[in-house]
């Protein structure tokens, strides 16, 4: 594991974006595993900025997002497909047919199978960008008695629903379920970047990277990944 400390959110975003940009420059046909949440927004902004300056070209890139809320269609403003469109895809030259986000309104079991097949057919993920949930979740792999291997449908914990409440107008609108890729796809990614920002995440980050490997803190499994880069700004 490599740990890169950043001074603040902006610095963290630049450093993470630099790593992603190196991947895209070296391997223009990369499969990028992408994340949502507040943390990656500045990373996507930075990458889009470099694209505008013609320093980056995403025309050969394929993207695979981690997760999607069940019951929200792509056009829903709180869906993760909508998030990716507005925060990133619409600002770069990625081909829409090469962007993958789980379908929140498909039959969940079938969608989980289909999504695993998509990842398998692509040959896995070259670089996986992750944020960190307050309870140690990655994607929507929630704390529990075991690590879930494949893409699965998950009942969101109250902690996670609360944390994501800020994106919705009313608390009751926050979905109870989501589809998330499992720990196998994440662990099989050739490189993983865990981006963490904010003082309030310092404690869970410490547990995730220094504590015991346990499904109660799903991100702790990343300690066993042989190319994990943690980019963190947790001082403020
Ligand atoms: C959501 C997403 C995760 C993300 C987490 C943290 O639950 N499913 O992929 O890492 O939120 O989000 P934030 O970066 O807003 O703290």
């Amino acid at each position: 594991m490599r740990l890169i400390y950043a001074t603040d959110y902006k610095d963290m975003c630049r450093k993470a974006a630099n790593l992603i940009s190196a991947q895209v420059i070296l391997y223009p046909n990369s499969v990028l595993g992408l994340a949502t949440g507040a943390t990656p927004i500045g990373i996507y902004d930075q990458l889009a900025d470099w694209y505008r300056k013609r320093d980056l070209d995403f025309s050969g890139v394929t993207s695979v997002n981690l997760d999607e809320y069940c019951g929200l269609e792509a056009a829903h403003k709180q869906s993760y497909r909508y998030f990716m469109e507005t925060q990133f895809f619409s600002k770069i030259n990625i081909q829409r047919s090469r962007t993958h986000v789980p379908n929140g309104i498909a039959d969940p079991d079938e969608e989980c199978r289909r999504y695993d097949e998509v990842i398998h057919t692509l040959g896995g993920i070259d670089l996986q960008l992750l944020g960190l949930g307050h309870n140690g979740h990655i994607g929507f792999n929630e704390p529990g008695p075991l690590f879930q291997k494949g893409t699965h449908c998950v009942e969101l914990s109250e902690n996670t629903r609360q944390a994501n409440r800020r994106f919705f107008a009313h608390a009751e609108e926050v979905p109870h379920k989501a589809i998330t890729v499992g720990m196998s796809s994440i662990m099989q990614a050739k490189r993983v970047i865990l981006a963490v920002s904010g003082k309030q995440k310092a404690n869970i980050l410490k547990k995730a990277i220094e504590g015991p490997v346990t499904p109660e803190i799903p991100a702790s499994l990343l300690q066993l990944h042989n190319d994990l880069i943690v980019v963190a700004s947790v001082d403020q």
Side-chain angles (χ1 to χ4, degrees):
M1 174 178 73
R2 272 171 289 185
L3 185 51
I4 299 175
Y5 280 113
T7 49
D8 54 21
Y9 177 70
K10 200 163 181 240
D11 186 38
M12 185 282 288
C13 289
R14 270 184 80 83
K15 287 182 158 73
N18 260 304
L19 294 167
I20 296 169
S21 115
Q23 173 79 31
V24 172
I25 291 168
L26 285 169
Y27 309 102
N29 298 321
S30 289
V31 177
L32 302 181
L34 299 179
T36 55
T39 308
I41 290 177
I43 302 174
Y44 296 148
D45 280 349
Q46 179 64 79
L47 290 169
D49 188 42
W50 287 332
Y51 163 70
R52 273 190 303 273
K53 291 177 173 150
R54 298 175 187 246
D55 286 336
L56 278 178
D57 174 13
F58 292 89
S59 60
V61 165
T62 298
S63 72
V64 179
N65 259 80
L66 285 164
D67 44 16
E68 179 61 283
Y69 289 115
C70 288
L72 300 194
E73 45 189 47
H76 191 288
K77 290 208 162 82
Q78 267 68 43
S79 79
Y80 282 167
R81 163 59 80 175
Y82 189 89
F83 174 100
M84 292 308 298
E85 281 295 331
T86 50
Q87 301 293 342
F88 196 33
F89 298 156
S90 61
K91 301 175 183 173
I92 57 171
N93 65 336
I94 195 165
Q95 293 182 39
R96 286 306 185 287
S97 58
R98 290 205 182 136
T99 64
H100 302 276
V101 181
N103 180 347
I105 54 168
D107 172 80
D109 291 341
E110 244 167 64
E111 181 59 7
C112 290
R113 267 194 300 277
R114 184 193 72 84
Y115 211 65
D116 274 340
E117 191 55 38
V118 166
I119 296 170
H120 178 76
T121 307
L122 290 170
I125 290 157
D126 294 311
L127 182 151
Q128 176 68 60
L129 174 65
L130 293 174
L132 179 65
H134 291 272
N135 58 3
H137 75 231
I138 46 177
F140 269 135
N141 286 273
E142 292 279 45
L146 44 88
F147 292 111
Q148 296 267 0
K149 295 193 201 82
T151 299
H152 58 285
C153 188
V154 61
E155 190 82 34
L156 299 176
S157 70
E158 236 2 83
N159 178 306
T160 297
R161 291 190 67 243
Q162 279 301 325
N164 290 342
R165 157 77 179 85
R166 68 204 139 118
F167 299 113
F168 292 81
H170 304 287
E172 61 278 10
E173 287 173 25
V174 185
H176 288 265
K177 289 185 176 173
I179 291 176
T180 181
V181 302
M183 299 303 287
S184 295
S185 310
I186 294 172
M187 289 301 286
Q188 283 166 23
K190 294 190 187 82
R191 164 169 283 186
V192 176
I193 296 174
L194 178 64
V196 188
S197 182
K199 222 176 185 161
Q200 72 286 2
K201 296 249 179 102
N203 195 31
I204 191 67
L205 175 63
K206 192 172 163 61
K207 284 187 184 161
I209 62 177
E210 290 177 17
V213 173
T214 164
E216 293 302 334
I217 299 177
S220 65
L221 190 59
L222 297 173
Q223 291 178 39
L224 305 183
H225 195 282
N226 62 12
D227 191 356
L228 169 68
I229 307 176
V230 180
V231 190
S233 59
V234 288
D235 291 337
Q236 43 185 300

